[in-house]
Amino acid sequence: MGPASLQKISELQRNPRNIRNLCILAHVDHGKTTLADCLVASNGIISSRLAGKLRYLDSREDEGSDEDQSMIEFLLNLIDSPGHVDFSSEVSTAVRLCDGALVLVDAVEGVCPQTQVVLRQAWLENIRPVLVINKMDRLILELKLTTTEAHDHLKKILEQVNAVTGTLFTSKVLEERAEKVKEEEETAAGEQVYDWSAGLDEVDDSHLYFSPEQGNVVFASAVDGWGFRTQQFADLYSQKMGVKAGVLQKTLWGDFYLNAKAKRIMKGAQAKGKKPLFVQLVLDNLWSLYDAVVLHRDKDRVEKVVSSLGLKLMSRDLRHSDPKVLLSAICSQWLPVSTAVLSMVCEKLPSPLDVSEERVEKLMSVGARRFDSLPEKTQELKTAFLQCSSAEDAPVIIFVSKMFAVDAKALPQHKQRPLNQEEMARRRELARQRHAERMAAAETHLVTPEGRDAEPESAKAERPAQPEEEEEEQKEVFIAFARVYSGKVKKGQRVFVLGPKYDPAHGLQLLSEGSSDAQVPHLSRCSLQTLYLLMGRELEELEEVPAGNVLGIGGLEDFVLKSATLSVSPACPPFTPINMEATPIVRVAIEPKHPSQMPKLVRGMRLLNQADPCAEILIQETGEHVLVTAGEVHLQRCLDDLRERFAKVEISVSKPIIPFRETVVRPPKVDMVNEELGKQQKVAVIHQVKDDSSQGRLSDSVQVDPGGLVTITTPNRLATVSVRAMPLPHEVTSLLESSSDVIRTLEQINLSLREGRTLDISSRTVEAIAGLKAQLESLLQGRRWRDVVDQVWAFGPRRYGPNLLLNSLKDYPRPSLWQCLDRASRTPQAGPALRDFDNSIVSGFQLAALAGPMCEEPMMGVCFCVERWEVRTPASLKEDVARSSDVTGGEGGAAGSSQAAADCYGPVSGQLIAAMKEACRQAFQAQPQRLMAAMYTCDIMTTADVLGRVYGVLGKREGRVLHEEMKEGTDVFIIKAVLPVAESFGFADEIRKRTSGLASPQLVFSHWEVISSDPFWVPTTEEEYLHFGEKADSDNQALKYVNAVRRRKGLYVEEKIVEHAEKQRTLGKNK
């Protein structure tokens, strides 16, 4: 079939029933782009001989996200996605626009870490997956399995994939069950009867799993061009065996065998030692084909096979020296992979009309708002979503999932079109005219020597335009990658751009009162300048696009940063943000090699920020431009993009900026040589830093008691604050870190309650806040933590971090942080009032938590208790000073000087913030301090030969192996380890070099881990002096990290630098 014309595709776009929007998801190197090539080749866009070699949907060597339209009665919008873990954000943007997904799994490697991630992404977006088990040829040629062993191996892979889906399904059912039980408890009265069932038995989950008899599994080898579903063989054998195709379809996969005598299909192949049907009818044929063509190159057998299958082969394929060419020529005719995959996609994946209500409500409910609480006009849009109508009166709703940059030369309007007769005649006339002018100029040159600089007028007119044209050609243009969910999009149409914080209720109210679009917050208007059909690497311009289609939109770069919702109706809510799996953790500072090129770099970084869904661009207080990426591979791609596409300047890149966290721990029970500490020695270890600092660094206004309580008085002596620092249990820190969204919502609610505004809070949000409180109460048990949850004053840093500020003041019953849980307190009413300067205490805590005393990194897992807070009036201070001056005898001018002291230090609020910050830092230093390092989980697949080398590289880089397992039936080991982010740079390259490319790691940010060694440790016990010596100058990893961060930030580093050192020489050697 030849490529479909633009007109034909436009016709197909109008029928959403026959549209399939799907993406290809898989672990890296499992064959996504090769399979995509085979599907594209079926449509005639590329040659079938180049399928698997051309990598047509690779818009770049490191795999971007592109799209192809392939047509067989249906219109398939196929989006290829990258498999590397660093580009998980690209997968998320692709998944949002699709209704279904092709999940690829390598037949040898099975379910890999990234396979689990993509299955979870598909599950979270409520899209239906189908499975392709790819690289089946490896079972024959590499592992050399028999057909029975291969069958067992394939069964295990299916079980692994279904286990991942089953886990996701179980967690969802249990959550729904818990909500249902809670509602029943609230509504029911009287005697309670507890139902022990978890609800899993009642729910039908058979449609979720992958099973060949359901037709949602394809077995394939994309590189050899073959693939099949069991249905194809069932149809083939039903005629030969005289068995119904439906019966064969159900029995071809499973524990069934063919009884030759009775000519019946019977159950129990494994128990009776018989060959299963799948082995006998399918695998044996494939294995014998590979044996004849590739392994033994038996020409007679090949000819028999070809004639029995009724295939026509070209003589050049039969003569070719590479047996793989002959194999793919046979297979692509006998079992073309495109037929199997496309038929499965058309039958099993939903069309845009089949979108579920659950998915629509999930997309439209943002943040704390529940769908029921949205305005009526907004709720009416749900029907437009479900109908997916392209009628003129249907509201246009578009979601832009990412912005991608293309070269301006690739746009259809800049492409060279074939010339018609008139244009050719006009150009011929211009050429003649130019030639005549040149001849005339040559004649005048001969006559008048001073006319040597004469130039044809047409050439003069053309010349100045060239630099501008070149500049125009180099320009990158942004195209929005989007999908139409409702209505018909037309070129030049005006639509609203809804920001992520846009509230439809507030927007509708302002617009009804006569406000203009510009006065509504988070709402802007733009026109859709150009609409494009995305044809792989090509773009075709369109006039209109109906609902249910994927498209490109030009001219939105000034209105959309990364993703956005567009609609003609201001009642439309912004869609829920895209769920990003990768956490940006790797930071580098960037500057141009030539300072004059700074504006170009800034513009380039702005373009990169827009083009990459996961990259973040920050400008630090120091003025540095910082790029934050998901990993080393992602960082390299971003830097290459900056140099070659966006900024086009030479750049200098700093060493990666490693993030750390600062924390405190419980006092140690053993010393550094594992000897138990006595009480006096333990106190000496804890307060060692404090004792050092008290020798002149601390002023008279700071007091530290032996229990670690720090008391600070403000410079004007009007306020005194006492703070104690305690380590939070690890479970509480993890809970606070994972609940940052809930804490942020809680802060917004409390802020609106303090300002006297009412908020309609969804029941789901209230449940989430109540759940957080209940979890904190269950984790904070014991005498030290009694009633602590009700005393929480604030979270920090940035009001939602993993540190707590507690109100332990007996004389200050401030309003509870959890007041929104009490139904009565949702409306503003008289309660305990906030004291003056309450906000100053919180601000001081936030500043201290944001930059700790060790190396100005944020704190984590620290609880600060405010045990005393006194604010005195200037009048009482005067009396105190006067009384003290009477006692000492210095009467003259004492009161006057105290008045001056009270006035000259600036506002009391500022002094209180500084005092609170300093108190928190001193309290932190009064406890045993530790540094926390960011950790990656590292998944490595390798063979047994190089296992020792992998362990060597991990050990050298402070890695720790958690567990290793061997994949059954292969010699492949899967190693799971943790590795500090600080040691991870160059890790992937080193491991590839040491293992000759046999091992490749996947690094994903996992958690923060306390570095056990104390950065400021010095020997204190006799055993430590004996073991480490007086200087104890052996390498301290934590101190090395602290000093590196301090040096980078320009802070003081205590280290000895030897200058002008001389080598010691003996006189005898100099003679």
Side-chain angles (χ1 to χ4, degrees):
M1 180 191 289
S5 67
L6 193 61
Q7 187 183 352
K8 180 71 175 169
I9 290 175
S10 299
E11 282 173 25
L12 285 164
Q13 283 187 333
R14 295 192 191 103
N15 182 9
R17 176 65 61 199
N18 285 359
I19 293 173
R20 298 289 182 271
N21 296 315
L22 69 145
C23 51
I24 303 183
L25 309 176
H27 187 81
V28 68
D29 285 337
H30 277 202
K32 293 177 300 303
T33 305
T34 306
L35 179 68
D37 274 6
C38 294
L39 301 182
V40 173
S42 72
N43 197 12
I45 295 172
I46 64 170
S47 159
S48 57
R49 289 183 174 277
L50 292 176
K53 302 177 187 74
L54 183 64
R55 298 179 72 79
Y56 181 69
L57 289 196
D58 258 11
S59 64
R60 51 194 303 142
E61 288 168 20
D62 46 54
E63 287 196 76
S65 171
D66 279 288
E67 183 199 15
D68 152 60
Q69 315 267 351
S70 176
M71 187 277 297
I72 308 175
E73 322 179 55
F74 289 82
L75 180 69
L76 304 184
N77 295 320
L78 175 71
I79 305 170
D80 190 15
S81 67
H84 197 283
V85 69
D86 281 7
F87 303 115
S88 297
S89 54
E90 299 278 4
V91 178
S92 302
T93 58
V95 165
R96 170 57 67 88
L97 300 186
C98 295
D99 301 305
L102 270 178
V103 178
L104 257 77
V105 175
D106 189 314
V108 173
E109 294 178 7
V111 174
C112 293
Q114 192 65 8
T115 316
Q116 297 179 1
V117 170
V118 296
L119 280 168
R120 186 166 72 248
Q121 283 174 308
W123 177 269
L124 290 172
E125 288 286 349
N126 287 63
I127 70 169
R128 192 180 302 167
V130 288
L131 183 68
V132 178
I133 296 179
N134 195 24
K135 301 197 181 184
M136 289 272 290
D137 56 299
R138 290 184 68 190
L139 300 179
I140 309 170
L141 302 175
E142 284 182 31
L143 299 187
K144 296 188 168 45
L145 300 182
T146 64
T147 49
T148 314
E149 287 168 347
H151 180 239
D152 294 339
H153 184 74
L154 292 170
K155 278 202 296 188
K156 279 174 190 155
I157 287 176
L158 267 175
E159 283 166 15
Q160 287 170 3
V161 180
N162 286 333
V164 176
T165 311
T167 311
L168 295 166
F169 170 73
T170 308
S171 61
K172 182 192 173 190
V173 170
L174 292 177
E175 276 174 26
E176 287 175 356
R177 179 73 182 160
E179 284 176 22
K180 195 177 172 186
V181 168
K182 204 167 188 179
E183 285 170 18
E184 284 171 3
E185 282 175 4
E186 286 173 8
T187 52
E191 194 179 333
Q192 291 285 319
V193 180
Y194 186 73
D195 179 12
W196 289 99
S197 76
L200 287 169
D201 306 332
E202 304 155 22
V203 187
D204 177 34
D205 59 344
S206 59
H207 64 283
L208 293 173
Y209 299 115
F210 302 107
S211 173
E213 62 260 29
Q214 282 187 24
N216 60 0
V217 178
V218 163
F219 301 94
S221 168
V223 77
D224 288 340
W226 61 266
F228 64 88
R229 292 197 291 166
T230 51
Q231 191 178 339
Q232 286 169 265
F233 278 94
D235 295 340
L236 183 73
Y237 283 109
S238 65
Q239 299 161 6
K240 288 184 180 178
M241 294 166 61
V243 182
K244 285 182 184 174
V247 174
L248 262 179
Q249 168 72 9
K250 286 178 184 173
T251 55
L252 204 52
W253 179 263
D255 194 24
F256 298 96
Y257 72 98
L258 184 65
N259 187 328
K261 288 180 183 175
K263 291 193 176 178
R264 287 180 63 196
I265 293 168
M266 304 184 82
K267 200 172 172 63
Q270 197 171 0
K272 294 172 186 172
K274 303 280 187 183
K275 265 190 185 180
L277 268 181
F278 189 73
V279 173
Q280 191 177 350
L281 303 182
V282 180
L283 296 185
D284 279 351
N285 289 323
L286 279 169
W287 258 243
S288 62
L289 177 66
Y290 268 82
D291 185 59
V293 178
V294 181
L295 299 174
H296 290 109
R297 301 197 185 189
D298 190 334
K299 284 188 179 179
D300 299 336
R301 277 174 68 194
V302 170
E303 282 171 13
K304 268 187 189 177
V305 168
V306 170
S307 60
S308 65
L309 292 172
L311 308 177
K312 288 181 181 177
L313 293 181
M314 297 173 77
S315 56
R316 71 172 178 190
D317 289 338
L318 288 164
R319 290 198 307 270
H320 207 286
S321 58
D322 184 2
K324 281 275 192 170
V325 173
L326 176 58
L327 181 74
S328 63
I330 295 170
C331 292
S332 57
Q333 287 186 52
W334 177 37
L335 298 170
V337 66
S338 55
T339 308
V341 173
L342 295 176
S343 62
M344 175 173 72
V345 164
C346 297
E347 283 175 35
K348 295 296 171 185
L349 293 186
S351 71
L353 293 174
D354 301 328
V355 64
S356 65
E357 286 192 30
E358 183 188 4
R359 188 180 184 199
V360 172
E361 288 185 13
K362 200 172 173 185
L363 284 175
M364 294 175 78
S365 307
V366 183
R369 301 297 295 267
R370 64 175 189 270
F371 184 74
D372 310 343
S373 69
L374 293 168
E376 271 184 43
K377 283 186 179 178
T378 305
Q379 292 187 42
E380 285 167 12
L381 291 174
K382 180 180 166 184
T383 53
F385 261 95
L386 295 169
Q387 287 169 358
C388 193
S389 168
S390 301
E392 294 295 330
D393 58 342
V396 172
I397 301 170
I398 307 166
F399 182 74
V400 175
S401 79
K402 69 173 276 192
M403 303 290 287
F404 65 95
V406 294
D407 195 347
K409 286 187 279 189
L411 295 177
Q413 53 264 40
H414 295 161
K415 277 186 187 172
Q416 285 190 343
R417 288 184 174 79
L419 300 175
N420 56 25
Q421 289 293 331
E422 290 174 11
E423 283 178 336
M424 285 165 76
R426 189 166 57 81
R427 289 197 176 190
R428 203 178 296 120
E429 189 57 42
L430 274 171
R432 277 182 192 151
Q433 191 182 335
R434 236 181 266 126
H435 179 67
E437 282 176 3
R438 270 202 300 273
M439 295 299 288
E443 281 174 22
T444 53
H445 177 68
L446 290 170
V447 176
T448 55
E450 56 272 8
R452 63 185 175 277
D453 294 323
E455 197 175 5
E457 287 298 315
S458 58
K460 276 184 188 174
E462 281 171 21
R463 190 161 294 177
Q466 281 176 359
E468 287 174 27
E469 280 173 21
E470 282 172 22
E471 214 173 280
E472 191 63 36
E473 280 178 2
Q474 290 173 354
K475 201 175 170 191
E476 292 277 345
V477 177
F478 276 97
I479 290 177
F481 189 36
R483 172 172 168 182
V484 187
Y485 283 90
S486 168
K488 188 183 283 184
V489 185
K490 293 180 181 173
K491 192 175 173 181
Q493 191 170 9
R494 298 275 293 168
V495 292
F496 290 109
V497 180
L498 315 171
K501 293 183 182 175
Y502 173 70
D503 181 3
H506 186 51
L508 287 168
Q509 186 187 339
L510 287 174
L511 289 169
S512 64
E513 289 169 3
S515 303
S516 67
D517 304 339
Q519 291 170 320
V520 180
H522 312 295
L523 183 75
S524 58
R525 265 214 159 162
C526 72
S527 64
L528 307 175
Q529 291 177 11
T530 42
L531 307 178
Y532 297 108
L533 175 72
L534 304 167
M535 287 278 290
R537 298 174 186 179
E538 307 297 320
L539 294 167
E540 296 290 345
E541 209 167 333
L542 295 171
E543 290 301 313
E544 59 179 38
V545 179
N549 287 286
V550 176
L551 78 158
I553 306 173
L556 291 182
E557 54 261 43
D558 297 332
F559 301 94
V560 179
L561 180 62
K562 291 180 189 249
S563 64
T565 310
L566 313 177
S567 178
V568 291
S569 164
C572 180
F575 284 15
T576 48
I578 293 171
N579 179 48
M580 298 292 180
E581 287 285 333
T583 313
I585 190 84
V586 179
R587 296 165 174 245
V588 289
I590 295 175
E591 59 181 31
K593 284 206 171 157
H594 306 291
S596 60
Q597 293 178 327
M598 193 69 194
K600 280 188 179 180
L601 177 65
V602 171
R603 181 181 167 275
M605 290 182 85
R606 197 176 70 245
L607 295 176
L608 174 68
N609 187 34
Q610 198 166 10
D612 196 305
C614 197
E616 291 177 16
I617 308 292
L618 310 170
I619 298 177
Q620 292 194 324
E621 295 157 3
T622 53
E624 284 179 311
H625 286 75
V626 174
L627 171 65
V628 194
T629 59
E632 210 176 345
V633 178
H634 187 210
L635 171 66
Q636 195 54 51
R637 192 192 83 171
C638 290
L639 294 176
D640 290 345
D641 277 355
L642 264 181
R643 286 192 189 101
E644 294 160 19
R645 294 181 69 191
F646 300 130
K648 295 186 178 172
V649 295
E650 283 296 309
I651 54 176
S652 303
V653 183
S654 72
K655 285 184 179 176
I657 300 167
I658 315 296
F660 289 99
R661 295 287 181 269
E662 300 182 21
T663 190
V664 293
V665 293
R666 301 284 296 276
K669 289 180 181 168
V670 292
D671 63 12
M672 290 290 280
V673 286
N674 288 338
E675 294 281 337
E676 195 169 340
L677 286 167
K679 198 167 186 182
Q680 292 81 10
Q681 290 165 324
K682 191 198 281 191
V683 171
V685 172
I686 297 167
H687 299 304
Q688 181 190 347
V689 176
K690 184 195 72 186
D691 293 341
D692 292 347
S693 60
S694 62
Q695 293 172 5
R697 270 196 300 176
L698 295 183
S699 62
D700 301 336
S701 61
V702 181
Q703 297 167 1
V704 185
D705 76 352
L709 183 70
V710 174
T711 306
I712 288 192
T713 308
T714 53
N716 62 7
R717 308 209 312 246
L718 283 179
T720 306
V721 181
S722 296
V723 178
R724 188 191 305 278
M726 295 186 290
L728 280 172
H730 174 69
E731 297 82 10
V732 176
T733 309
S734 304
L735 174 66
L736 293 177
E737 201 180 8
S738 60
S739 309
S740 58
D741 291 339
V742 179
I743 296 169
R744 206 180 279 143
T745 309
L746 178 65
E747 279 293 334
Q748 286 171 356
I749 294 166
N750 284 332
L751 180 67
S752 59
L753 289 172
R754 281 201 292 274
E755 291 172 357
R757 289 188 284 123
T758 54
L759 254 189
D760 183 20
I761 310 161
S762 71
S763 57
R764 193 182 297 170
T765 306
V766 173
E767 279 170 26
I769 294 168
L772 174 64
K773 188 183 179 187
Q775 281 177 286
L776 282 172
E777 283 169 346
S778 66
L779 292 171
L780 292 169
Q781 297 286 344
R783 186 176 54 81
R784 297 174 67 200
W785 303 107
R786 193 174 295 140
D787 302 329
V788 152
V789 179
D790 292 320
Q791 294 174 9
V792 174
W793 195 333
F795 299 94
R798 300 190 180 91
R799 296 187 177 270
Y800 58 85
N803 302 289
L804 291 181
L805 179 66
L806 300 183
N807 173 18
S808 299
L809 303 166
K810 288 170 186 167
D811 57 342
Y812 180 32
R814 74 186 296 282
S816 169
L817 194 76
W818 314 98
Q819 58 186 321
C820 63
L821 295 177
D822 183 12
R823 300 261 171 182
S825 66
R826 277 205 208 171
T827 52
Q829 60 177 22
L834 290 173
R835 250 166 91 169
D836 291 341
F837 309 123
D838 177 281
N839 210 30
S840 298
I841 294 288
V842 176
S843 299
F845 158 70
Q846 300 293 350
L847 289 170
L850 191 59
M854 289 163 74
C855 52
E856 302 283 328
E857 288 288 298
M859 292 183 190
M860 189 172 189
V862 187
C863 174
F864 292 102
C865 286
V866 181
E867 298 189 4
R868 179 180 164 209
W869 176 27
E870 292 174 0
V871 180
R872 304 160 74 192
T873 58
S876 63
L877 183 71
K878 273 187 203 175
E879 288 171 19
D880 284 1
V881 173
R883 201 177 297 119
S884 64
S885 62
D886 285 342
V887 172
T888 54
E891 293 176 14
S897 65
S898 73
Q899 181 65 46
D903 292 339
C904 71
Y905 294 109
V908 177
S909 60
Q911 291 180 50
L912 196 52
I913 290 172
M916 182 63 192
K917 179 187 171 185
E918 191 55 34
C920 288
R921 288 170 75 106
Q922 295 291 346
F924 182 93
Q925 288 179 301
Q927 302 294 329
Q929 309 167 65
R930 293 289 183 273
L931 200 64
M932 292 181 88
M935 304 296 279
Y936 277 136
T937 50
C938 172
D939 292 286
I940 306 171
M941 294 188 71
T942 182
T943 54
D945 322 341
V946 292
L947 203 57
R949 293 179 198 172
V950 171
Y951 274 73
V953 176
L954 278 168
K956 178 181 158 191
R957 291 176 173 264
E958 312 278 334
R960 196 172 71 251
V961 175
L962 301 178
H963 64 83
E964 67 166 52
E965 58 178 325
M966 190 176 184
K967 284 225 165 196
E968 287 183 48
T970 67
D971 63 342
V972 174
F973 279 86
I974 298 175
I975 301 165
K976 198 170 186 72
V978 287
L979 183 78
V981 173
E983 303 290 340
S984 69
F985 299 98
F987 172 71
D989 285 343
E990 186 179 356
I991 217 160
R992 280 195 205 100
K993 281 174 191 166
R994 293 288 300 277
T995 61
S996 308
L998 291 172
S1000 183
Q1002 287 264 66
L1003 299 170
V1004 185
F1005 174 69
S1006 168
H1007 63 286
W1008 295 91
E1009 195 171 281
V1010 176
I1011 299 172
S1012 55
S1013 56
D1014 180 355
F1016 305 115
W1017 176 82
V1018 288
T1020 51
T1021 63
E1022 197 176 331
E1023 288 84 359
E1024 287 176 345
Y1025 273 117
L1026 283 169
H1027 193 275
F1028 294 100
E1030 275 186 44
K1031 289 183 179 177
D1033 51 4
S1034 56
D1035 268 0
N1036 182 336
Q1037 193 66 38
L1039 183 61
K1040 205 187 285 180
Y1041 289 149
V1042 167
N1043 284 345
V1045 175
R1046 290 185 73 88
R1047 206 175 287 114
R1048 178 172 58 76
K1049 292 184 175 180
L1051 303 170
Y1052 171 69
V1053 179
E1054 197 171 318
E1055 58 183 352
K1056 291 174 184 173
I1057 300 169
V1058 181
E1059 287 184 8
H1060 314 300
E1062 288 185 6
K1063 191 175 178 183
Q1064 187 177 353
R1065 297 190 296 255
T1066 57
L1067 289 170
K1069 282 191 176 177
N1070 287 335
K1071 287 176 183 176

